[in-house]
Short mmCIF file of all heavy atoms in Angstrom, two decimals:
data_model
loop_
_atom_site.label_atom_id
_atom_site.label_comp_id
_atom_site.label_asym_id
_atom_site.label_seq_id
_atom_site.Cartn_x
_atom_site.Cartn_y
_atom_site.Cartn_z
N GLY C 78 -12.25 -15.25 -3.16
CA GLY C 78 -11.43 -15.55 -4.33
C GLY C 78 -10.54 -14.37 -4.71
O GLY C 78 -9.35 -14.55 -5.01
N LEU C 79 -11.11 -13.18 -4.69
CA LEU C 79 -10.33 -11.99 -5.03
C LEU C 79 -9.24 -11.74 -3.99
O LEU C 79 -8.10 -11.40 -4.34
CB LEU C 79 -11.26 -10.77 -5.12
CG LEU C 79 -10.60 -9.45 -5.53
CD1 LEU C 79 -9.86 -9.59 -6.85
CD2 LEU C 79 -11.66 -8.34 -5.62
N ARG C 80 -9.58 -11.94 -2.73
CA ARG C 80 -8.57 -11.79 -1.67
C ARG C 80 -7.45 -12.81 -1.85
O ARG C 80 -6.27 -12.49 -1.63
CB ARG C 80 -9.20 -11.96 -0.29
CG ARG C 80 -8.23 -11.69 0.86
CD ARG C 80 -8.81 -12.11 2.19
NE ARG C 80 -7.85 -11.85 3.27
CZ ARG C 80 -6.82 -12.63 3.55
NH1 ARG C 80 -6.61 -13.74 2.82
NH2 ARG C 80 -5.99 -12.34 4.54
N SER C 81 -7.79 -14.02 -2.26
CA SER C 81 -6.77 -15.06 -2.47
C SER C 81 -5.85 -14.69 -3.63
O SER C 81 -4.64 -14.94 -3.58
CB SER C 81 -7.45 -16.41 -2.74
OG SER C 81 -8.22 -16.82 -1.62
N VAL C 82 -6.41 -14.09 -4.68
CA VAL C 82 -5.58 -13.63 -5.80
C VAL C 82 -4.58 -12.58 -5.32
O VAL C 82 -3.39 -12.60 -5.69
CB VAL C 82 -6.47 -13.06 -6.93
CG1 VAL C 82 -5.60 -12.35 -7.99
CG2 VAL C 82 -7.28 -14.16 -7.57
N LEU C 83 -5.04 -11.66 -4.49
CA LEU C 83 -4.15 -10.64 -3.94
C LEU C 83 -3.08 -11.27 -3.04
O LEU C 83 -1.94 -10.80 -3.00
CB LEU C 83 -4.96 -9.61 -3.15
CG LEU C 83 -5.86 -8.71 -4.01
CD1 LEU C 83 -6.82 -7.92 -3.12
CD2 LEU C 83 -5.02 -7.76 -4.85
N GLU C 84 -3.45 -12.34 -2.35
CA GLU C 84 -2.48 -13.07 -1.53
C GLU C 84 -1.40 -13.67 -2.42
O GLU C 84 -0.20 -13.64 -2.08
CB GLU C 84 -3.18 -14.17 -0.75
CG GLU C 84 -2.32 -14.86 0.30
CD GLU C 84 -2.21 -14.05 1.58
OE1 GLU C 84 -3.23 -13.64 2.12
OE2 GLU C 84 -1.05 -13.83 2.01
N VAL C 85 -1.79 -14.20 -3.55
CA VAL C 85 -0.83 -14.76 -4.50
C VAL C 85 0.11 -13.68 -5.01
O VAL C 85 1.34 -13.86 -5.05
CB VAL C 85 -1.57 -15.43 -5.68
CG1 VAL C 85 -0.59 -15.76 -6.80
CG2 VAL C 85 -2.28 -16.70 -5.22
N VAL C 86 -0.46 -12.55 -5.41
CA VAL C 86 0.36 -11.44 -5.93
C VAL C 86 1.34 -10.97 -4.86
O VAL C 86 2.55 -10.79 -5.13
CB VAL C 86 -0.54 -10.28 -6.38
CG1 VAL C 86 0.31 -9.05 -6.76
CG2 VAL C 86 -1.41 -10.69 -7.56
N GLY C 87 0.85 -10.77 -3.64
CA GLY C 87 1.72 -10.32 -2.56
C GLY C 87 2.83 -11.31 -2.26
O GLY C 87 3.99 -10.93 -2.05
N THR C 88 2.48 -12.61 -2.24
CA THR C 88 3.48 -13.65 -1.95
C THR C 88 4.57 -13.68 -3.02
O THR C 88 5.76 -13.75 -2.70
CB THR C 88 2.81 -15.03 -1.86
OG1 THR C 88 1.87 -15.03 -0.79
CG2 THR C 88 3.84 -16.12 -1.63
N PHE C 89 4.18 -13.64 -4.28
CA PHE C 89 5.15 -13.70 -5.37
C PHE C 89 6.13 -12.52 -5.31
O PHE C 89 7.35 -12.71 -5.35
CB PHE C 89 4.44 -13.73 -6.72
CG PHE C 89 5.39 -13.57 -7.88
CD1 PHE C 89 6.22 -14.61 -8.26
CD2 PHE C 89 5.46 -12.38 -8.57
CE1 PHE C 89 7.11 -14.47 -9.33
CE2 PHE C 89 6.34 -12.22 -9.64
CZ PHE C 89 7.17 -13.27 -10.01
N PHE C 90 5.60 -11.33 -5.23
CA PHE C 90 6.48 -10.16 -5.26
C PHE C 90 7.29 -10.03 -3.97
O PHE C 90 8.45 -9.61 -3.99
CB PHE C 90 5.67 -8.89 -5.51
CG PHE C 90 5.27 -8.72 -6.94
CD1 PHE C 90 3.98 -9.01 -7.36
CD2 PHE C 90 6.18 -8.29 -7.89
CE1 PHE C 90 3.61 -8.87 -8.68
CE2 PHE C 90 5.83 -8.14 -9.22
CZ PHE C 90 4.53 -8.44 -9.63
N PHE C 91 6.69 -10.43 -2.84
CA PHE C 91 7.43 -10.37 -1.58
C PHE C 91 8.61 -11.34 -1.58
O PHE C 91 9.74 -10.96 -1.26
CB PHE C 91 6.51 -10.68 -0.40
CG PHE C 91 7.25 -10.78 0.91
CD1 PHE C 91 7.62 -9.64 1.59
CD2 PHE C 91 7.57 -12.01 1.46
CE1 PHE C 91 8.33 -9.71 2.79
CE2 PHE C 91 8.27 -12.10 2.65
CZ PHE C 91 8.65 -10.95 3.32
N LEU C 92 8.35 -12.60 -1.95
CA LEU C 92 9.43 -13.59 -1.92
C LEU C 92 10.49 -13.29 -2.98
O LEU C 92 11.68 -13.51 -2.75
CB LEU C 92 8.86 -14.99 -2.11
CG LEU C 92 8.11 -15.56 -0.91
CD1 LEU C 92 7.59 -16.96 -1.21
CD2 LEU C 92 8.99 -15.60 0.34
N THR C 93 10.06 -12.78 -4.14
CA THR C 93 11.04 -12.40 -5.16
C THR C 93 11.96 -11.31 -4.62
O THR C 93 13.19 -11.37 -4.80
CB THR C 93 10.34 -11.91 -6.43
OG1 THR C 93 9.47 -12.94 -6.93
CG2 THR C 93 11.36 -11.57 -7.51
N ALA C 94 11.37 -10.31 -3.96
CA ALA C 94 12.18 -9.24 -3.36
C ALA C 94 13.04 -9.78 -2.23
O ALA C 94 14.23 -9.44 -2.13
CB ALA C 94 11.27 -8.13 -2.86
#
Side-chain angles (χ1 to χ4, degrees):
L79 183 55
R80 185 190 179 281
S81 297
V82 170
L83 291 169
E84 189 80 51
V85 168
V86 173
T88 298
F89 171 74
F90 282 103
F91 174 79
L92 287 180
T93 302

